[in-house]
Amino acid sequence: MNTGSDRGPQGSAAESAAESEVESAAGDATQQTTEEAPHVSKAPAFIKSRRTLHLSWQVGVFVVGLAVIGAGIAMLVLPGPGWVAIFAGLAIWATEFAWAHLVLRWTKRKVTEAAQKALDPRVRRRNIILTGVGLVIAGALVGFYLWKYGLTLPWNLKDQ
Protein backbone atom coordinates (compact mmCIF):
# COMPACT_ATOMS: atom_id res chain seq x y z
CA MET A 1 0.00 0.00 0.00
CA ASN A 2 1.39 3.35 -0.99
CA THR A 3 1.03 5.88 1.79
CA GLY A 4 2.13 8.72 -0.45
CA SER A 5 5.21 9.50 1.64
CA ASP A 6 7.48 9.27 -1.42
CA ARG A 7 5.50 11.97 -3.18
CA GLY A 8 6.12 15.63 -2.64
CA PRO A 9 3.61 18.12 -1.29
CA GLN A 10 2.40 18.78 -4.86
CA GLY A 11 0.45 15.42 -5.07
CA SER A 12 -2.97 16.09 -6.52
CA ALA A 13 -6.35 14.74 -5.48
CA ALA A 14 -6.68 13.04 -8.88
CA GLU A 15 -3.49 11.05 -8.26
CA SER A 16 -4.78 10.09 -4.83
CA ALA A 17 -8.12 8.93 -6.26
CA ALA A 18 -6.37 6.87 -8.96
CA GLU A 19 -4.18 5.19 -6.33
CA SER A 20 -7.26 4.48 -4.22
CA GLU A 21 -8.95 2.76 -7.17
CA VAL A 22 -5.86 0.65 -7.86
CA GLU A 23 -5.64 -0.37 -4.19
CA SER A 24 -9.34 -1.29 -4.04
CA ALA A 25 -8.99 -3.37 -7.20
CA ALA A 26 -6.00 -5.13 -5.63
CA GLY A 27 -8.09 -5.72 -2.50
CA ASP A 28 -10.88 -7.24 -4.62
CA ALA A 29 -8.39 -9.57 -6.29
CA THR A 30 -7.10 -10.62 -2.87
CA GLN A 31 -10.64 -11.39 -1.71
CA GLN A 32 -11.25 -13.50 -4.79
CA THR A 33 -8.12 -15.57 -4.20
CA THR A 34 -8.97 -16.18 -0.53
CA GLU A 35 -12.38 -17.66 -1.38
CA GLU A 36 -12.59 -21.42 -1.47
CA ALA A 37 -12.17 -23.31 -4.69
CA PRO A 38 -15.14 -25.33 -5.93
CA HIS A 39 -15.75 -28.57 -4.05
CA VAL A 40 -13.73 -31.50 -5.37
CA SER A 41 -14.07 -35.15 -4.44
CA LYS A 42 -11.45 -36.42 -1.99
CA ALA A 43 -11.45 -39.89 -3.57
CA PRO A 44 -8.08 -41.23 -4.77
CA ALA A 45 -7.25 -40.60 -8.45
CA PHE A 46 -7.58 -44.24 -9.53
CA ILE A 47 -11.14 -44.30 -8.11
CA LYS A 48 -12.08 -41.03 -9.79
CA SER A 49 -10.79 -42.32 -13.12
CA ARG A 50 -13.51 -45.01 -13.32
CA ARG A 51 -17.13 -43.94 -13.11
CA THR A 52 -18.45 -47.12 -11.48
CA LEU A 53 -15.70 -47.09 -8.85
CA HIS A 54 -16.34 -43.44 -8.10
CA LEU A 55 -20.08 -44.02 -7.80
CA SER A 56 -19.40 -46.98 -5.47
CA TRP A 57 -17.05 -44.78 -3.44
CA GLN A 58 -19.73 -42.11 -3.10
CA VAL A 59 -22.33 -44.67 -2.05
CA GLY A 60 -19.89 -46.02 0.55
CA VAL A 61 -19.15 -42.53 1.89
CA PHE A 62 -22.88 -41.80 2.04
CA VAL A 63 -23.61 -45.03 3.95
CA VAL A 64 -20.75 -44.49 6.44
CA GLY A 65 -21.78 -40.85 6.99
CA LEU A 66 -25.41 -41.90 7.43
CA ALA A 67 -24.41 -44.53 10.00
CA VAL A 68 -22.37 -42.00 11.99
CA ILE A 69 -25.19 -39.44 11.87
CA GLY A 70 -27.70 -42.13 12.88
CA ALA A 71 -25.50 -43.06 15.85
CA GLY A 72 -25.27 -39.36 16.73
CA ILE A 73 -29.04 -38.99 16.67
CA ALA A 74 -29.33 -42.04 18.93
CA MET A 75 -26.75 -40.52 21.27
CA LEU A 76 -28.89 -37.41 21.66
CA VAL A 77 -31.19 -39.46 23.90
CA LEU A 78 -28.65 -42.11 24.98
CA PRO A 79 -25.34 -41.46 26.73
CA GLY A 80 -22.69 -40.23 24.35
CA PRO A 81 -21.52 -37.22 22.36
CA GLY A 82 -24.49 -36.94 20.00
CA TRP A 83 -23.75 -33.59 18.40
CA VAL A 84 -20.09 -34.45 17.91
CA ALA A 85 -21.07 -37.61 16.05
CA ILE A 86 -23.62 -35.74 13.92
CA PHE A 87 -21.02 -33.16 12.90
CA ALA A 88 -18.49 -35.94 12.26
CA GLY A 89 -20.96 -37.66 9.92
CA LEU A 90 -21.55 -34.37 8.16
CA ALA A 91 -17.78 -33.95 7.77
CA ILE A 92 -17.59 -37.44 6.25
CA TRP A 93 -20.28 -36.48 3.75
CA ALA A 94 -18.50 -33.19 3.04
CA THR A 95 -15.52 -35.10 1.62
CA GLU A 96 -17.66 -36.14 -1.35
CA PHE A 97 -20.78 -33.98 -1.58
CA ALA A 98 -20.79 -30.24 -2.23
CA TRP A 99 -24.13 -29.71 -0.45
CA ALA A 100 -22.75 -31.28 2.73
CA HIS A 101 -19.65 -29.11 2.45
CA LEU A 102 -21.84 -26.00 2.28
CA VAL A 103 -23.97 -27.14 5.23
CA LEU A 104 -20.86 -27.89 7.29
CA ARG A 105 -19.33 -24.50 6.46
CA TRP A 106 -22.61 -22.75 7.40
CA THR A 107 -22.78 -24.72 10.66
CA LYS A 108 -19.19 -23.83 11.57
CA ARG A 109 -19.93 -20.16 10.93
CA LYS A 110 -23.07 -20.24 13.11
CA VAL A 111 -21.28 -22.06 15.94
CA THR A 112 -18.46 -19.51 15.83
CA GLU A 113 -20.96 -16.64 15.90
CA ALA A 114 -22.77 -18.21 18.88
CA ALA A 115 -19.48 -18.67 20.73
CA GLN A 116 -18.54 -15.03 20.10
CA LYS A 117 -21.97 -13.91 21.26
CA ALA A 118 -21.68 -16.01 24.43
CA LEU A 119 -18.38 -14.28 25.23
CA ASP A 120 -20.03 -10.84 25.08
CA PRO A 121 -19.85 -9.41 28.63
CA ARG A 122 -23.51 -8.33 28.65
CA VAL A 123 -24.71 -11.77 27.54
CA ARG A 124 -22.45 -13.51 30.07
CA ARG A 125 -23.71 -11.24 32.85
CA ARG A 126 -27.33 -11.94 31.88
CA ASN A 127 -26.68 -15.70 31.79
CA ILE A 128 -25.00 -15.63 35.19
CA ILE A 129 -27.89 -13.66 36.69
CA LEU A 130 -30.49 -16.02 35.17
CA THR A 131 -28.56 -19.07 36.42
CA GLY A 132 -28.34 -17.57 39.90
CA VAL A 133 -32.07 -16.78 39.98
CA GLY A 134 -32.85 -20.33 38.78
CA LEU A 135 -30.64 -21.84 41.49
CA VAL A 136 -32.28 -19.69 44.17
CA ILE A 137 -35.76 -20.77 43.02
CA ALA A 138 -34.72 -24.45 42.88
CA GLY A 139 -33.15 -24.16 46.34
CA ALA A 140 -36.32 -22.56 47.71
CA LEU A 141 -38.45 -25.37 46.26
CA VAL A 142 -36.16 -28.06 47.69
CA GLY A 143 -36.13 -26.27 51.04
CA PHE A 144 -39.94 -26.07 51.09
CA TYR A 145 -40.23 -29.77 50.27
CA LEU A 146 -37.78 -30.71 53.02
CA TRP A 147 -39.60 -28.47 55.52
CA LYS A 148 -42.99 -29.94 54.63
CA TYR A 149 -42.15 -33.63 54.14
CA GLY A 150 -38.63 -34.17 55.47
CA LEU A 151 -36.39 -36.70 53.76
CA THR A 152 -39.33 -38.83 52.59
CA LEU A 153 -39.29 -39.55 48.87
CA PRO A 154 -42.29 -38.27 46.90
CA TRP A 155 -43.55 -41.74 45.96
CA ASN A 156 -43.54 -42.82 49.63
CA LEU A 157 -45.84 -40.02 50.83
CA LYS A 158 -48.99 -41.41 52.49
CA ASP A 159 -51.04 -38.31 53.37
CA GLN A 160 -52.19 -36.24 50.45
Side-chain angles (χ1 to χ4, degrees), residues 34 40 43 62 64 67 90 96 107 109 112 114 125 128 131 134 140 142 154:
T34 58
V40 183
F62 182 80
V64 169
L90 196 56
E96 283 301 310
T107 305
R109 188 174 63 245
T112 303
R125 189 176 317 116
I128 290 171
T131 301
V142 167

Side-chain angles (χ1 to χ4, degrees), residues 16-84:
S16 176
E19 276 185 10
S20 171
E21 288 177 17
V22 169
E23 288 173 1
S24 68
D28 291 342
T30 305
Q31 286 178 347
Q32 290 173 354
T33 58
T34 58
E35 291 181 15
E36 287 188 29
H39 181 72
V40 183
S41 173
K42 304 285 192 262
F46 74 92
I47 289 178
K48 286 194 264 185
S49 66
R50 293 181 179 84
R51 177 136 174 87
T52 55
L53 269 179
H54 192 231
L55 186 61
S56 301
W57 176 271
Q58 286 182 329
V59 168
V61 167
F62 182 80
V63 169
V64 169
L66 186 64
V68 173
I69 288 175
I73 290 171
M75 284 189 274
L76 289 176
V77 294
L78 299 171
W83 286 110
V84 173

